[in-house]
Amino acid sequence: MKYILANWKMYLREFEQAALCRRANLIKYDAKKLRLVLCPSHFALPYAKNFVKKPNEYGAQNFFWESRGAFTGEASPQDLTDFKCHYVIIGHSERRTLLNETDGMVRKKVAAALSAKLTPILCVGETLDERNSGHALERVREELREDLKGLTAEEIKRIIVAYEPVWAIGAGQPIAPTEAVEMHRRIRETIGEIVHGAVPQAVIYGGSVDAKNVRDFIIAEGVDGCLVGGASTKFDSLKQIVDIVQKYS
Ligand code: PGA
């Protein structure tokens, strides 16, 4: 099973998200081979609920770990499930770096998502400095250790890990697929060490994936799909990506 997760970030206006939720229903693919998950902004979740039709699925880009209370500006796990979300992106590097989201916060979100029966899409990845100083693997391992602390193998089975090297996001240049293969292998190995024998639902790659390069990732060993930002925000390019994934998976 391959995953294409479309992270629309804050790229689209409300009416554009509504239109893309509807138009994405025109993309045809074999749901036994591929899952297409749209992640609009919170404000567009009502459109997702009304317009996204099976086999397409959808999720949110963020949430808060508490279920109710005085948390100005936040949305709870129940808010997402009220909108029938099945997925939530957690720990995206834009939130870690711009909003100081820590591993402690990410861990609470992963646990809250699992309790609410949402599938967490946990993002991990090294910065350019960490990569250049030879610490990429160490950083990713540290994130996994911190973010998955206290979980059982059964819980980890319900998590999608997105390897997103921070320097490759929005850069127009992804990591070399061979490097993604190696990091994905190490991610699986690390998770199996953290909780003996644990295997995540999927390990996907994100960072400058588009219709020109998605094939290289989809055919790469241990890459279960892609988290696509910019290239998922236009219908034609989203459709091309899905067509290519369908063809090569
Ligand atoms: P990008 O973003 O495809 O625009 O690089 C990927 C992501 O941040 O999820």
Side-chain angles (χ1 to χ4, degrees), residues 2 8 12 17 19 26 33 64 96 100 106 139 144 153 170 182 189 198 220 225 235 241:
K2 300 286 182 189
W8 294 347
L12 299 174
Q17 298 189 71
L26 302 172
K33 288 209 280 193
F64 193 65
R96 290 182 192 257
N100 293 331
V106 170
R139 176 61 192 140
L144 292 169
E182 175 58 10
E189 182 186 88
F235 175 77
I241 290 171

Side-chain angles (χ1 to χ4, degrees), residues 1 14 17 39 45 64 73 85 90 100 120 123 134 164 167 198 222 232:
M1 176 64 72
E14 179 208 29
Q17 298 189 71
C39 297
L45 289 176
F64 193 65
C85 283
I90 298 177
N100 293 331
C123 301
E164 296 211 303
W167 50 272
S232 74

Side-chain angles (χ1 to χ4, degrees), residues 6 8 12-29 36-61 83 85 232-235 238:
W8 294 347
L12 299 174
R13 301 274 304 278
E14 179 208 29
F15 63 94
E16 293 169 317
Q17 298 189 71
L20 199 45
C21 283
R22 274 182 195 267
R23 285 195 82 194
N25 297 323
L26 302 172
I27 304 175
K28 298 293 170 229
Y29 56 92
L36 174 59
V37 181
L38 310 176
C39 297
S41 67
H42 280 166
F43 300 101
L45 289 176
Y47 296 121
K49 185 178 171 200
N50 289 327
F51 300 151
V52 173
K53 300 279 176 260
K54 276 191 166 60
N56 292 359
E57 297 180 278
Y58 61 92
Q61 298 175 16
F83 282 114
C85 283
S232 74
T233 59
K234 292 201 171 58
F235 175 77
L238 180 63

Side-chain angles (χ1 to χ4, degrees), residues 7 9 11 92 94 164 168-171 206-209 227-230:
N7 176 11
K9 310 193 182 188
Y11 280 129
H92 192 282
E94 284 148 16
E164 296 211 303
I169 295 175
S208 294
V209 173
L227 181 48
V228 187

